[in-house]
Amino acid sequence: MAGKTLFEKIWDKHVVTKVDGGPSVLYIDRHFVHEVTSPQAFAGLRDRGIQVRRPEKTVATADHNIPTLNQDQPIQDELSRFQVNKLALNCEEFGVPLYGLNHKWNGIVHVIGPELGITKPEMTIVCGDSHTSTHGAFGSIAFGIGTSEVEMTLATQTLLQNKPKTMRINIDGELGKGVVSKDIVLYIISLIGTGGATGYFVEFAGSAIRNLSMEARMTICNMSIEMGARGGMIAPDETTFEYVKGREFAPKGAEWDKAVEEWRQLPSDTDAEFDKELTYKASDIEPMITYGTNPGMGIGISKSIPTLEEIEKSTQATFKKSMQYMDFQPGDAMIGKKVDYVFIGSCTNGRIEDLRAFAAFVKGKKKADNVTAWIVPGSHQVEAQAEEEGIRQILEESGFEMRQPGCSACLAMNDDKIPEGNYAVSTSNRNFEGRQGPGARTMLASPLTAAATAITGKITDPRDFL
Amino acid sequence: MPIDKFVKLESTCVPVPIENVDTDQIIPARFLKATTRDGFGDNLFADWRYDKSGNPKEDFVLNDPTYSGKILVASQNFGSGSSREHAAWAIAGYGFKAVVSSFFADIFKNNSLNNGLLPVQVSKEFLEELFQAIEKDPATKVEIDLENQKITLQPNGSSESFEINPYKKKCMLNGFDDIDYLLNISNEIATWEKANS
C-alpha cells in the first residue's frame, strides 16, 4: 500500500464517521469567526434553541467591516456599527471568546491565528472566509466555509465534507533577486488559472518552498483559493516549530516536546501518491503583476499583456470584457503604466515581514506625488511591532502613513475604497471587478513591486532598484 | 430546519455567458453588512445590473425582458473567489432554483446545496448547445430532473445526465438539512471527542 500524504494523515485522524455513499463527518479543532459571515449562523442556533457545542474551540475577531482610522471612536457607518456590535452580542450570548475592536489581540483573522500560536500543525481549521487556507502553511487542513457551515460548526464542531483529491505543486531551485513568495503563487495561478486546482487540496513542496519563512509560506497558502483549491498546505519543519514556539497559545514544556515529536511524523511519506503533481523551476519566476480581472490574469512584470490571438477562442469574450474594465489594450506592456493608489496589507501581505520589506525598500526615498498609499498592518501586534522596529518612522519620513489594522481596501467593505476608474497596485489577493470599490482597477503584486511603484508613481520592476 | 425541496423543474433560462464569474460580481462586498439572509436578491449582480445612480443598465440580461426563468445558465468556473454564502442567497433570493455551468467553484457549490439551490454541472458541449438554443429562442424550456439526474433541452429533447453526491441528492429531494443530520449523531461526536481528547 502506498504511503500517506500530509493531507491524508490529518484528514484520517479527524473523521468521526462517514455517511453511507456520502461525505465524511470531519471534526474541527478550531473555528475562527468574524462579523460578516456569522450573524445568520448565530441566528440559526437561536432558532433551533441550541448552544455553541465547543465555545473554547471557537474564537472571534472583527476585521472585515471596521474602519482603519479612529478605531477608538464609534464606527460612523450605521450598518457596519450594527454588524460589529452584533458580533459582540452574539459572542457574549454564546460564550465565544472575542478579540474585538481595540482588543490588543484584534486583527485580521488569518493574521492573529498564527501570531497568537492558535494555529499549529496537524489541526483542522475553518472560518467563514475563503482565505482560511492561510493556516495550511503550518501543516494543517484549513479551509473556508459558507455561513450554513459556520452554523454547522458552531452547533456540532463537525462538518460534512467530501474528501477532496490531492495535488502537489513543487517549486524547485532558488528564487531570483527581487522575487518573493507572492510572485511564486501569482506565477502558479497565471499558469493553471483560477479553476486550475478546483476539487483539490494542494500541498506546496520543493526546495524553494522549504527555504521560505513562515510568513512567506502563509502568503502562498493564502492564495491557494485563487487557483480554486479547497485549501493549500505545507509540511511542518524546523521553520514551523521555531515560529510557533513560545507564542501565547502554543504548548509549553513537556507538552511542547510531545507535540513536536508528533508533528515530525506529518510530512507526506516518500511513497505517497497524489492525484496530480506539478513541478516548476523557481528560476523561471520573475516579479509578477496582474493585468486583468481575476488572479489568473497575471504576467512577469517585464512581459506584455497577451494579444487577443494568444487567448483561447472560448475565453476571448471574457478577456475582452476584462480589458475594457481595466481600460488596457491587449499587447500593452505593464511597466510604466500610471498608478493612483498603492495598498499594502490584507491577510496575504499584511504581516511584519511585509512591512519590513516595504520599509527597507522605501527608506531614504520619497513616495511619488501622484500616488495615494494605504499601509494597513494585519493586526495590532503587527502595528506595535512596526512601531517598535522604527518602521512607522521610516514610512513617515518617506511620505507614507500607516493606518490601523483591518481587512481594509482588500475588499473595501469599509471606507477604504479605490475611486472609480483609478488604478491600484495592491498586495491583496483579488483583482475582481469592483473588489476594491465600484469601478476600481486592481493590479496584484508583491510588497516589493508595490514599493517600487509607490516611489516612481508607475508600474516599476523592483529589480531596477536592487 | 428544512431547506427548499428540489425534485423536478421545468423553466426558461437566463443566460450569463461569462467565464469565472466570481462571488464579488454575484454580490459585491458592500452589500454584506446585513445580519439576516433576506433581501440579497435585489442586489444580485449589482454592478453589472445598475449604474452609479441605481438605474438598471439596459444591456445586462437581468434587465432584458426577453429573458426570464428559474434557471441561471453561466460559463465555466462559476462562483469562484470569496466563500460568502450571500452569493447563493442572492441567486436564490432573486428567484432562481438552479444554476447550470460546465464547472463550479467548490465553496459556492456547497453553499448552493445548503440552500436548496441546485448546481447542475454539464459538459462544455452541452453548455454551448444550451446557450445557442436560448439565444435563438429565449422561450426555450429546459427540464431538470433531480431524481433521474438528467437535464433536457425541451425543444429537441437533447439531454445529458449530471453528477450529484447521493447524500446531497437525498437532502435536496427531501429538503433535509445537514445540521439536523449532525445534531442527530451528537452522541457519536461526543464519543469521538472523548476518545481523541
Side-chain angles (χ1 to χ4, degrees):
Chain A
M1 205 179 93
K4 280 184 174 186
T5 64
L6 165 65
F7 175 82
E8 287 160 346
K9 288 180 190 183
I10 302 169
W11 177 276
D12 291 351
K13 276 190 185 164
H14 287 83
V15 173
V16 175
T17 182
K18 201 169 174 303
V19 183
D20 269 346
S24 296
V25 176
L26 191 70
Y27 195 79
I28 302 303
D29 292 327
R30 181 61 63 165
H31 183 193
F32 291 106
V33 170
H34 67 84
E35 75 275 26
V36 178
T37 57
S38 67
Q40 296 86 352
F42 282 113
L45 296 185
R46 216 172 277 123
D47 289 347
R48 291 172 201 268
I50 55 176
Q51 297 297 312
V52 172
R53 184 185 174 97
R54 300 298 298 268
E56 77 281 9
K57 290 182 186 284
T58 313
V59 64
T61 185
D63 57 2
H64 280 64
N65 194 7
I66 58 170
T68 54
L69 292 174
N70 306 318
Q71 287 185 351
D72 56 325
Q73 292 164 30
I75 300 175
Q76 295 291 312
D77 181 277
E78 198 184 334
L79 288 174
S80 300
R81 188 173 65 243
F82 185 81
Q83 193 177 55
V84 172
N85 287 343
K86 192 84 191 162
L87 178 71
L89 292 170
N90 283 332
C91 286
E92 197 183 327
E93 180 182 344
F94 289 95
V96 171
L98 168 68
Y99 307 144
L101 212 49
N102 299 313
H103 190 287
K104 64 174 178 178
W105 290 342
N106 173 260
I108 304 176
V109 60
H110 311 308
V111 175
I112 66 166
E115 79 184 2
L116 290 169
I118 297 172
T119 303
K120 294 180 280 283
E122 209 181 10
M123 296 176 84
T124 46
I125 299 171
V126 297
C127 173
D129 186 279
S130 60
H131 294 110
T132 307
S133 56
T134 312
H135 307 265
F138 290 80
S140 274
I141 292 180
F143 54 92
I145 55 177
T147 298
S148 294
E149 293 170 315
V150 170
E151 186 181 339
M152 211 179 291
T153 310
L154 291 173
T156 71
Q157 203 58 37
T158 62
L159 271 179
L160 280 167
Q161 286 291 306
N162 293 305
K163 193 174 177 178
K165 291 181 280 186
T166 55
M167 184 191 296
R168 181 159 62 189
I169 300 181
N170 306 292
I171 309 291
D172 293 325
E174 293 214 4
L175 291 171
K177 195 176 62 168
V179 181
V180 296
S181 69
K182 180 66 165 286
D183 301 308
I184 298 179
V185 71
L186 284 173
Y187 176 78
I188 299 169
I189 303 166
S190 76
L191 295 177
I192 70 174
T194 53
T198 301
Y200 292 89
F201 221 95
V202 175
E203 179 178 341
F204 298 96
S207 55
I209 302 290
R210 290 260 74 83
N211 289 334
L212 296 175
S213 70
M214 271 325 289
E215 297 198 356
R217 292 178 187 184
M218 284 187 242
T219 301
I220 294 192
C221 290
N222 172 277
M223 287 191 71
S224 52
I225 181 70
E226 312 313 335
M227 54 188 89
R230 200 74 185 82
M233 62 202 312
I234 292 172
D237 58 11
E238 296 308 317
T239 305
T240 320
F241 309 146
E242 188 59 34
Y243 180 96
V244 176
K245 195 174 182 180
R247 290 184 185 265
E248 195 69 32
F249 294 100
K252 309 270 165 14
E255 252 185 74
W256 170 259
D257 297 334
K258 195 170 154 248
V260 170
E261 199 178 316
E262 199 170 315
W263 296 340
R264 287 191 203 283
Q265 311 307 313
L266 288 174
S268 296
D269 297 330
T270 47
D271 57 344
E273 285 171 12
F274 291 82
D275 295 302
K276 192 169 181 177
E277 185 142 15
L278 300 170
T279 299
Y280 303 108
K281 277 197 289 200
S283 57
D284 286 346
I285 307 173
E286 62 169 334
M288 296 288 295
I289 189 138
T290 62
Y291 59 85
T293 53
N294 72 56
M297 302 175 83
I299 46 175
I301 195 161
S302 68
K303 308 257 171 33
S304 299
I305 298 173
T307 59
L308 195 58
E309 295 70 41
E310 290 172 285
I311 301 293
E312 204 180 309
K313 201 149 182 135
S314 62
T315 305
Q316 285 183 358
T318 305
F319 174 76
K320 275 193 224 167
K321 184 176 187 301
S322 186
M323 288 296 98
Q324 199 177 0
Y325 182 85
M326 294 298 290
D327 196 20
F328 287 161
Q329 295 301 319
D332 274 3
M334 288 304 287
I335 297 262
K337 282 194 181 295
K338 189 182 135 278
V339 167
D340 308 296
Y341 280 77
V342 168
F343 172 59
I344 311 294
S346 86
C347 57
T348 311
N349 282 123
R351 299 187 174 77
I352 191 67
E353 282 184 12
D354 301 311
L355 297 195
R356 270 185 208 140
F358 186 87
F361 196 101
V362 302
K363 190 174 181 181
K365 304 183 185 79
K366 287 279 177 219
K367 179 182 77 64
D369 289 339
N370 63 305
V371 167
T372 303
W374 291 335
I375 298 167
V376 182
S379 71
H380 280 287
Q381 291 208 47
V382 171
E383 184 185 29
Q385 200 172 343
E387 195 82 53
E388 201 184 296
E389 294 182 16
I391 290 174
R392 184 192 289 277
Q393 201 185 336
I394 295 171
L395 293 175
E396 283 172 0
E397 282 166 8
S398 300
F400 295 94
E401 77 167 325
M402 195 164 77
R403 297 167 81 98
Q404 289 172 301
C407 296
S408 182
C410 175
L411 84 166
M413 263 193 92
N414 66 359
D415 291 336
D416 306 347
K417 290 178 172 61
I418 311 294
E420 184 178 0
N422 279 221
Y423 290 95
V425 164
S426 178
T427 64
S428 55
N429 40 60
R430 289 184 174 138
N431 51 343
F432 297 148
E433 283 184 36
R435 171 77 179 185
Q436 298 197 285
R441 294 165 170 156
T442 302
M443 294 166 282
L444 301 175
S446 77
L448 288 185
T449 301
T453 299
I455 296 301
T456 63
K458 49 192 202 266
I459 303 285
T460 301
D461 189 333
R463 293 172 297 188
D464 293 352
F465 288 88
L466 299 173
Chain B
M1 282 180 293
I3 56 169
D4 283 352
K5 285 183 195 177
F6 189 111
V7 181
K8 199 186 263 193
L9 172 70
E10 187 192 288
S11 171
T12 50
C13 303
V14 176
V16 179
I18 300 165
E19 292 180 355
N20 308 315
V21 173
D22 57 78
T23 52
D24 274 83
Q25 305 320 311
I26 299 171
I27 185 88
R30 63 185 185 278
F31 298 111
L32 308 187
K33 296 181 181 183
T35 52
T36 68
R37 293 178 182 228
D38 307 322
F40 290 104
D42 295 341
N43 293 309
L44 172 65
F45 294 121
D47 289 338
W48 290 348
R49 191 169 157 197
Y50 306 111
D51 67 17
K52 265 182 291 180
S53 334
N55 300 312
K57 291 183 185 174
E58 272 179 29
D59 59 352
F60 187 61
V61 68
L62 292 192
N63 300 321
D64 183 347
T66 319
Y67 299 100
S68 64
K70 293 186 168 151
I71 302 172
L72 180 68
V73 183
S75 294
Q76 66 164 339
N77 197 20
F78 187 81
S80 54
S82 157
S83 62
R84 60 188 70 164
E85 191 162 317
H86 313 66
W89 298 337
I91 295 172
Y94 183 85
F96 290 112
K97 298 282 179 203
V99 187
V100 180
S101 175
S102 56
F103 88 86
F104 293 93
D106 281 336
I107 306 178
F108 176 78
K109 197 192 309 185
N110 283 351
N111 289 340
S112 298
L113 288 165
N114 284 333
N115 285 279
L117 176 70
L118 185 69
V120 180
Q121 187 165 331
V122 297
S123 68
K124 269 188 171 178
E125 294 72 30
F126 191 77
L127 185 67
E128 195 48 44
E129 194 181 340
L130 274 181
F131 278 132
Q132 281 176 13
I134 300 163
E135 195 188 338
K136 207 168 135 201
D137 179 10
T140 298
K141 283 199 171 170
V142 167
E143 184 191 83
I144 298 171
D145 176 355
L146 179 56
E147 183 69 59
N148 295 304
Q149 296 177 224
K150 199 171 164 194
I151 176 167
T152 309
L153 197 49
Q154 291 287 22
N156 64 2
S158 173
S159 73
E160 193 169 274
S161 53
F162 61 88
E163 294 292 315
I164 181 169
N165 179 289
Y167 165 81
K168 276 294 173 192
K169 178 177 170 179
K170 197 166 122 192
C171 290
M172 290 288 284
L173 286 172
N174 298 289
F176 294 161
D177 161 303
D178 279 355
I179 301 178
D180 288 339
Y181 177 89
L182 290 170
L183 287 171
N184 280 331
I185 62 160
S186 60
N187 287 340
E188 205 171 331
I189 297 171
T191 307
W192 188 93
E193 278 179 322
K194 215 175 253 174
N196 288 278
S197 62

